[in-house]
Short mmCIF file of all heavy atoms in Angstrom, two decimals:
data_model
loop_
_atom_site.label_atom_id
_atom_site.label_comp_id
_atom_site.label_asym_id
_atom_site.label_seq_id
_atom_site.Cartn_x
_atom_site.Cartn_y
_atom_site.Cartn_z
N ASN A 313 -31.07 -60.44 -10.79
CA ASN A 313 -31.54 -60.21 -12.16
C ASN A 313 -32.76 -59.28 -12.13
O ASN A 313 -33.72 -59.53 -11.40
CB ASN A 313 -31.90 -61.55 -12.80
CG ASN A 313 -32.32 -61.38 -14.24
OD1 ASN A 313 -33.40 -60.85 -14.53
ND2 ASN A 313 -31.47 -61.80 -15.15
N PRO A 314 -32.73 -58.20 -12.93
CA PRO A 314 -33.83 -57.23 -12.85
C PRO A 314 -35.19 -57.79 -13.27
O PRO A 314 -36.23 -57.32 -12.82
CB PRO A 314 -33.40 -56.11 -13.80
CG PRO A 314 -32.41 -56.73 -14.70
CD PRO A 314 -31.73 -57.80 -13.92
N PHE A 315 -35.18 -58.82 -14.16
CA PHE A 315 -36.47 -59.40 -14.56
C PHE A 315 -37.10 -60.18 -13.41
O PHE A 315 -38.32 -60.18 -13.24
CB PHE A 315 -36.32 -60.27 -15.81
CG PHE A 315 -35.99 -59.45 -17.03
CD1 PHE A 315 -34.71 -59.42 -17.54
CD2 PHE A 315 -36.96 -58.68 -17.65
CE1 PHE A 315 -34.40 -58.64 -18.64
CE2 PHE A 315 -36.67 -57.90 -18.76
CZ PHE A 315 -35.39 -57.88 -19.25
N ASP A 316 -36.25 -60.82 -12.57
CA ASP A 316 -36.79 -61.49 -11.37
C ASP A 316 -37.38 -60.43 -10.45
O ASP A 316 -38.45 -60.61 -9.87
CB ASP A 316 -35.69 -62.25 -10.62
CG ASP A 316 -35.22 -63.47 -11.41
OD1 ASP A 316 -36.02 -63.96 -12.22
OD2 ASP A 316 -34.06 -63.89 -11.21
N GLU A 319 -40.68 -59.18 -11.79
CA GLU A 319 -41.79 -60.14 -11.53
C GLU A 319 -42.27 -60.03 -10.09
O GLU A 319 -43.47 -60.11 -9.82
CB GLU A 319 -41.33 -61.56 -11.85
CG GLU A 319 -41.34 -61.80 -13.34
CD GLU A 319 -41.17 -63.26 -13.71
OE1 GLU A 319 -41.43 -64.15 -12.88
OE2 GLU A 319 -40.77 -63.51 -14.86
N LEU A 357 -43.73 -60.93 -21.35
CA LEU A 357 -42.57 -60.62 -20.52
C LEU A 357 -41.69 -61.86 -20.45
O LEU A 357 -42.20 -62.97 -20.30
CB LEU A 357 -43.06 -60.26 -19.11
CG LEU A 357 -42.03 -60.10 -18.02
CD1 LEU A 357 -41.18 -58.86 -18.29
CD2 LEU A 357 -42.71 -59.95 -16.67
N SER A 358 -40.38 -61.66 -20.62
CA SER A 358 -39.44 -62.77 -20.44
C SER A 358 -38.13 -62.14 -20.01
O SER A 358 -38.04 -60.91 -19.89
CB SER A 358 -39.25 -63.53 -21.75
OG SER A 358 -38.50 -62.72 -22.65
N LYS A 359 -37.10 -62.96 -19.84
CA LYS A 359 -35.79 -62.39 -19.47
C LYS A 359 -35.14 -61.65 -20.64
O LYS A 359 -34.11 -61.01 -20.51
CB LYS A 359 -34.88 -63.47 -18.91
CG LYS A 359 -35.27 -63.87 -17.49
CD LYS A 359 -34.08 -64.34 -16.68
CE LYS A 359 -34.34 -64.41 -15.19
NZ LYS A 359 -35.49 -65.19 -14.77
N GLU A 360 -35.78 -61.74 -21.83
CA GLU A 360 -35.30 -61.00 -23.01
C GLU A 360 -35.81 -59.57 -22.99
O GLU A 360 -35.14 -58.66 -23.46
CB GLU A 360 -35.85 -61.66 -24.28
CG GLU A 360 -35.42 -63.08 -24.51
CD GLU A 360 -34.04 -63.12 -25.10
OE1 GLU A 360 -33.87 -62.57 -26.19
OE2 GLU A 360 -33.16 -63.69 -24.44
N GLY A 361 -37.04 -59.38 -22.51
CA GLY A 361 -37.59 -58.02 -22.54
C GLY A 361 -39.10 -57.98 -22.39
O GLY A 361 -39.74 -58.97 -22.02
N PHE A 362 -39.65 -56.78 -22.72
CA PHE A 362 -41.06 -56.48 -22.54
C PHE A 362 -41.70 -56.37 -23.93
O PHE A 362 -41.16 -55.65 -24.78
CB PHE A 362 -41.22 -55.13 -21.83
CG PHE A 362 -40.53 -55.06 -20.49
CD1 PHE A 362 -39.19 -54.71 -20.38
CD2 PHE A 362 -41.24 -55.36 -19.33
CE1 PHE A 362 -38.55 -54.65 -19.14
CE2 PHE A 362 -40.61 -55.30 -18.08
CZ PHE A 362 -39.27 -54.94 -17.99
N ILE A 465 -40.59 -56.24 -29.19
CA ILE A 465 -39.98 -56.55 -27.91
C ILE A 465 -38.97 -55.45 -27.61
O ILE A 465 -38.19 -55.06 -28.49
CB ILE A 465 -39.34 -57.96 -27.87
CG1 ILE A 465 -38.69 -58.19 -26.50
CG2 ILE A 465 -38.35 -58.18 -29.00
CD1 ILE A 465 -38.27 -59.63 -26.26
N ARG A 467 -35.78 -54.67 -25.64
CA ARG A 467 -34.71 -55.33 -24.89
C ARG A 467 -33.97 -54.27 -24.09
O ARG A 467 -33.22 -53.47 -24.66
CB ARG A 467 -33.72 -56.00 -25.85
CG ARG A 467 -34.35 -57.08 -26.70
CD ARG A 467 -33.33 -57.70 -27.64
NE ARG A 467 -33.98 -58.43 -28.71
CZ ARG A 467 -34.49 -59.65 -28.59
NH1 ARG A 467 -34.38 -60.29 -27.45
NH2 ARG A 467 -35.09 -60.23 -29.60
N PRO A 468 -34.19 -54.23 -22.78
CA PRO A 468 -33.60 -53.13 -22.01
C PRO A 468 -32.12 -53.35 -21.71
O PRO A 468 -31.67 -54.50 -21.55
CB PRO A 468 -34.41 -53.11 -20.72
CG PRO A 468 -35.04 -54.44 -20.61
CD PRO A 468 -35.02 -55.10 -21.94
N TRP A 495 -25.60 -57.97 -15.38
CA TRP A 495 -26.33 -56.85 -14.77
C TRP A 495 -25.59 -56.34 -13.55
O TRP A 495 -25.23 -57.10 -12.67
CB TRP A 495 -27.74 -57.27 -14.37
CG TRP A 495 -28.66 -57.50 -15.53
CD1 TRP A 495 -29.02 -58.71 -16.04
CD2 TRP A 495 -29.33 -56.50 -16.33
NE1 TRP A 495 -29.88 -58.53 -17.11
CE2 TRP A 495 -30.08 -57.19 -17.31
CE3 TRP A 495 -29.36 -55.12 -16.32
CZ2 TRP A 495 -30.87 -56.53 -18.26
CZ3 TRP A 495 -30.14 -54.46 -17.27
CH2 TRP A 495 -30.88 -55.16 -18.22
#
Side-chain angles (χ1 to χ4, degrees):
N313 183 289
F315 292 103
D316 290 335
E319 282 192 21
L357 171 68
S358 71
K359 285 209 165 54
E360 298 279 300
F362 303 86
I465 178 168
R467 299 179 197 281
W495 289 102

